[in-house]
């Protein structure tokens, strides 16, 4: 290892010893008569000291980025209610206003209700199965998701994944903050401006994520159940109203136009669910290695898929009925309106509506706290030197970024969702495709699970793949995704071959971004990784 790497290891390892209150090592005896010089206390030492104090008092996870060895894990995670968090965590993160709003996209694209519901069901379960598989690696390795990717992407390309993951989590937090702000604005009848509601939601999420994994779990154990009550109440109010006055028939799409609209909706819904694959293992490192992988897969997949379908389907039903309910349409489209005012119009009496909106405003906190927590971990996994900086410092920077993005995109939520979720689906699919092929084709994952992973070397560059195969496969997947993508700002050459009619400008193209991402990643990664292993032997 060269001198810079040695120094980096020292900073990332020994330099953090005082986190848990350990005294710094005494200086070595001097061979001269001069007294040894005391180590200068820097501002970073002071921050790490206070982080250590908070860790001992409230458990802020001062060394969260490190691998959790089996003997270091909390035995409480074998208890049934902590294992149930594998379902409840994702239930609380998906049963929210953001998923409800995403359900409006089918109507926006011109699809009928039956087609929208069919796509929501199939795309959600397909997308949820991907993080369900990724979750099984968490207890087996004790590593966070980006750290696990080092074994397939390689040391350097995994840093690119960390950057993309930070960007993705900032985007998710912005979506959750905007929808929470809309709910608070409706509760106050406009007295609380959307901007203030956005900032309040972000601030509460910030506090939860700062405390760490235990706080996230404690909040999400109950938040999902509360949201289930809220959405069931919304169903009992909205569905009878829709049945009493059925939606007006929409101008039916057919041929290439319907194909293009269906592919676009499928891409967005799939991206909504698959996006969790880049962070899911972050929340499973405390579970014992012997935890059933089938249980992990099923609880995670169903915890994502069922609540997502529940919330998005309600959104699809409500949006399809806007044209036949003038009061709903006015509340949604009028200046100062939006989803919050729409819900307040649908639900009666007004007091109940406001109470539910207050609860819905907190629905974004579960999503935001997960995004803040995982994004801060990804920054620390980018470099050992960045890992020395306390996690709460990175969370502050993330908070500022989310506030800015939320305020910029607050008035264009559906457009933001279309473009953002499509992009997420492309890069995360490429990311997972490389991991899956590496696990089963090159590391004998079918029979040995993670036995062929040198887990003690997770943070040793010389023992990780160089990244030629992983980097080429990952990059090829992203390029393929861009070629197949169709968005409001860009349409790839492959996407232009699908559809071509029915949009506002007379043209609407099909989005096959994530399909192209998977295909290109696998085709390039397999031969490139085979050559890399033959040459480097790692």
């Amino acid at each position: 290892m060269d001198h810079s790497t040695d120094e980096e290891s020292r900073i990332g390892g020994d330099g953090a010893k005082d986190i848990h209150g350990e005294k710094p090592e005494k200086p070595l005896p001097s061979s001269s008569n001069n007294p040894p010089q005391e180590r200068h206390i820097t501002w970073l030492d002071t921050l790490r000291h206070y982080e250590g104090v908070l860790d001992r008092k409230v458990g802020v996870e001062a060394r969260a980025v490190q691998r959790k060895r089996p003997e270091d894990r909390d035995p409480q995670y074998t208890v049934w209610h902590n294992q149930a968090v594998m379902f409840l965590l994702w239930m609380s993160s998906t049963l929210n206003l953001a998923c409800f709003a995403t359900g409006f996209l089918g109507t926006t694209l011109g699809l009928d209700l039956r087609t929208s519901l069919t796509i929501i069901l199939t795309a959600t379960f397909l997308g949820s199965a991907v993080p369900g598989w990724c979750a099984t690696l968490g207890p087996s390795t004790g590593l966070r998701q980006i750290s696990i990717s080092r074994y397939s992407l390689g040391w350097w390309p995994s840093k690119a994944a960390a950057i993309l993951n930070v960007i993705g989590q900032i985007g998710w937090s912005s979506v959750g903050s905007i929808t929470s702000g809309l709910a608070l604005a409706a509760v106050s009848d406009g007295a609380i401006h959307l901007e203030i509601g956005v900032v309040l939601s972000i601030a509460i999420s910030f506090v939860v994520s700062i405390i760490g994994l235990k706080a996230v779990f404690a909040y999400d154990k109950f938040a999902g159940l509360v949201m289930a009550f809220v959405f069931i109440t919304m169903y009992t109010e909205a569905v009878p109203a829709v049945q009493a006055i059925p939606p007006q028939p929409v101008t039916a799409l057919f041929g290439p136009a319907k194909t293009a609209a269906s592919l676009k909706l499928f891409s967005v819904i799939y991206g909504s669910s698959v996006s969790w694959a880049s962070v899911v293992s972050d929340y499973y490192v405390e579970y014992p290695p012997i935890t059933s992988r089938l249980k992990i897969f099923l609880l995670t997949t169903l915890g994502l898929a069922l609540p997502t379908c529940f919330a998005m389907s309600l959104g699809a039903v409500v949006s399809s009925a806007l044209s036949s309910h003038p009061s709903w349409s006015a509340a949604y489209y009028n200046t100062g309106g939006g989803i919050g005012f729409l819900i307040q119009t649908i639900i009666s009496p007004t007091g109940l509506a406001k109470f539910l909106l207050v609860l819905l405003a907190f629905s974004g906190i579960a999503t935001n706290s997960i995004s803040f927590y995982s994004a801060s971990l990804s920054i620390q996994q980018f470099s050992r030197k960045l890992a020395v900086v306390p996690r709460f410092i990175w969370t502050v920077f993330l908070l500022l970024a989310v506030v800015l993005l939320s305020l910029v995109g607050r008035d264009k939520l559906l457009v933001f969702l279309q473009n953002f979720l499509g992009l997420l689906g492309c890069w995360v699919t490429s990311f997972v495709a490389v991991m899956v092929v590496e696990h089963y084709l090159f590391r004998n994952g079918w029979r040995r699970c993670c036995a062929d992973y040198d887990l003690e070397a997770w943070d040793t560059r010389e023992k990780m793949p160089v990244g030629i195969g992983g980097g080429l496969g990952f990059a090829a997947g992203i390029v393929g995704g861009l070629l197949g993508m169709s968005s409001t700002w860009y349409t790839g050459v492959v996407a232009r071959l699908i559809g071509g009619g029915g949009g506002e400008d007379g043209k609407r193209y099909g989005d096959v971004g994530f399909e192209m991402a998977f295909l290109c990643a696998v085709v390039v990664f397999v031969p490139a990784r085979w050559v890399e292993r033959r040459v480097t032997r790692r």
Side-chain angles (χ1 to χ4, degrees):
M1 185 182 295
D2 58 25
H3 177 73
S4 62
T5 306
D6 289 337
E7 177 66 14
E8 194 175 26
S9 299
R10 184 190 66 76
I11 294 174
D14 296 340
K17 281 185 178 180
D18 61 344
I19 287 177
H20 292 287
E22 298 179 20
K23 296 180 179 179
E25 295 178 359
K26 294 181 179 180
L28 295 173
S30 174
S31 58
S32 65
N33 294 328
N34 296 328
Q37 298 295 321
E38 292 187 2
R39 179 173 175 268
H40 178 64
I41 304 299
T42 66
W43 63 272
L44 193 57
D45 294 323
T46 303
L47 289 176
R48 291 203 303 266
H49 167 73
Y50 285 114
E51 185 186 36
V53 173
L54 289 173
D55 191 15
R56 292 190 295 273
K57 292 184 177 297
V58 296
V60 298
E61 292 186 284
R63 304 185 69 182
V65 75
Q66 299 296 317
R67 177 180 173 239
K68 285 283 186 179
R69 293 180 174 85
E71 61 271 18
D72 297 330
R73 302 183 193 183
D74 189 343
Q76 287 297 315
Y77 282 82
T78 61
V79 181
W80 70 269
H81 57 81
N82 280 326
Q83 300 238 328
V85 172
M86 286 187 269
F87 180 92
L88 296 174
L89 174 69
W90 308 112
M91 177 181 177
S92 63
S93 303
T94 54
L95 204 55
N96 53 35
L97 280 176
C99 283
F100 175 73
T102 306
F104 282 56
L105 289 175
T107 300
T108 303
L109 292 170
L111 295 171
D112 61 85
L113 180 58
R114 177 173 295 181
T115 302
S116 296
L117 292 176
T118 302
I119 292 173
I120 287 172
L121 182 66
T122 53
T124 298
F125 271 89
L126 176 62
S128 299
V130 178
W133 176 82
C134 291
T136 63
L137 301 178
S140 300
T141 63
L143 292 171
R144 312 291 178 162
Q145 198 69 60
I146 295 298
S147 293
I148 295 173
S149 72
R150 292 174 180 175
Y151 292 87
S152 51
L153 292 178
W155 181 265
W156 299 110
S158 68
K159 296 178 183 295
I163 294 173
L164 289 172
N165 192 42
V166 172
I167 296 172
Q169 298 314 310
I170 290 174
W172 258 131
S173 291
S174 301
V175 172
S177 301
I178 292 171
T179 52
S180 294
L182 289 169
L184 289 174
V187 169
S188 64
D189 294 324
I192 297 178
H193 292 290
L194 175 57
E195 295 85 348
I196 298 176
V198 166
V199 173
L200 285 175
S201 172
I202 294 172
I204 297 173
S205 306
F206 171 80
V207 173
V208 175
S209 64
I210 279 290
I211 298 176
L213 192 60
K214 291 181 179 179
V216 173
F217 275 19
Y219 179 85
D220 290 343
K221 276 183 183 179
F222 306 103
L225 299 176
V226 174
M227 289 303 108
F229 162 76
V230 171
F231 272 87
I232 289 172
T233 304
M234 290 169 62
Y235 263 98
T236 59
E237 294 282 341
V239 173
V242 174
Q243 290 175 334
I245 307 176
Q248 295 179 3
V250 298
T251 302
L253 294 177
F254 58 90
K258 185 172 183 178
T259 300
S262 299
L263 286 172
K264 180 60 182 177
L265 182 61
F266 196 99
S267 174
V268 171
I269 303 301
Y270 167 84
S272 172
S273 295
V274 80
S275 62
W276 300 106
S278 63
V279 303
V280 62
S281 284
D282 296 356
Y283 304 92
Y284 290 72
V285 295
E286 290 283 1
Y287 292 107
I290 61 172
T291 306
S292 167
R293 293 196 296 275
L294 179 61
K295 179 201 291 185
I296 296 170
F297 173 79
L298 290 177
L299 287 177
T300 304
T301 301
L302 295 177
L304 285 167
L306 294 178
T308 300
C309 286
F310 197 63
M312 287 188 184
S313 296
L314 179 59
V317 170
V318 170
S319 64
S320 70
L322 289 177
S323 59
S324 57
H325 290 73
S327 60
W328 293 10
S329 181
Y332 182 67
Y333 290 111
N334 281 359
T335 302
I339 290 176
F341 287 92
L342 172 61
I343 293 173
Q344 187 169 270
T345 303
I346 293 173
I347 299 174
S348 60
T350 304
L352 174 62
K354 289 184 178 294
F355 173 69
L356 295 181
L357 281 169
V358 170
L359 296 178
L360 285 170
F362 286 95
S363 69
I365 294 174
T367 303
N368 289 2
S369 59
I370 286 177
S371 296
F372 277 134
Y373 180 77
S374 288
S376 62
L377 288 177
S378 290
I379 294 174
Q380 290 185 313
Q381 289 171 96
F382 181 81
S383 166
R384 295 191 187 102
K385 292 182 179 180
L386 297 183
V388 177
V389 179
R391 188 171 57 82
F392 70 85
I393 297 298
W394 297 123
T395 308
V396 171
F397 284 107
L398 292 168
L399 179 146
L400 297 176
V402 171
V403 169
L404 291 175
L405 186 58
S406 299
L407 296 180
V408 170
R410 66 188 184 278
D411 296 324
K412 298 181 179 179
L413 178 60
L414 292 183
V415 174
F416 186 92
L417 284 170
Q418 285 188 59
N419 296 328
F420 170 64
L421 294 178
L423 284 169
L424 272 183
C426 289
W427 91 259
V428 174
T429 297
S430 178
F431 173 81
V432 175
V434 171
M435 290 179 60
V436 169
V437 174
E438 173 75 21
H439 184 73
Y440 291 113
L441 186 60
F442 296 110
R443 294 188 186 269
N444 199 20
W446 292 109
R447 296 181 179 179
R448 296 170 56 81
C449 188
C450 296
D452 286 352
Y453 291 70
D454 184 358
L455 297 177
E456 293 299 323
W458 73 275
D459 204 27
T460 305
R461 187 184 69 188
E462 291 76 11
K463 293 185 179 181
M464 289 293 107
V466 176
I468 298 173
L472 289 175
F474 186 47
I478 293 176
V479 171
L482 292 174
L483 293 176
M485 180 185 298
S486 174
S487 66
T488 59
W489 58 274
Y490 167 80
T491 301
V493 295
V494 176
R496 288 182 178 274
L497 302 176
I498 305 171
E504 293 180 359
D505 59 353
K507 294 182 179 180
R508 176 181 286 138
Y509 300 101
D511 191 321
V512 290
F514 80 85
E515 296 93 334
M516 287 291 296
F518 180 83
L519 178 64
C520 292
V522 172
V523 168
V524 173
F525 175 69
V526 172
R529 180 70 174 120
W530 183 83
V531 172
E532 179 185 12
R533 285 171 62 92
R534 290 292 298 268
V535 174
T536 65
R537 300 297 178 185
R538 52 187 168 113

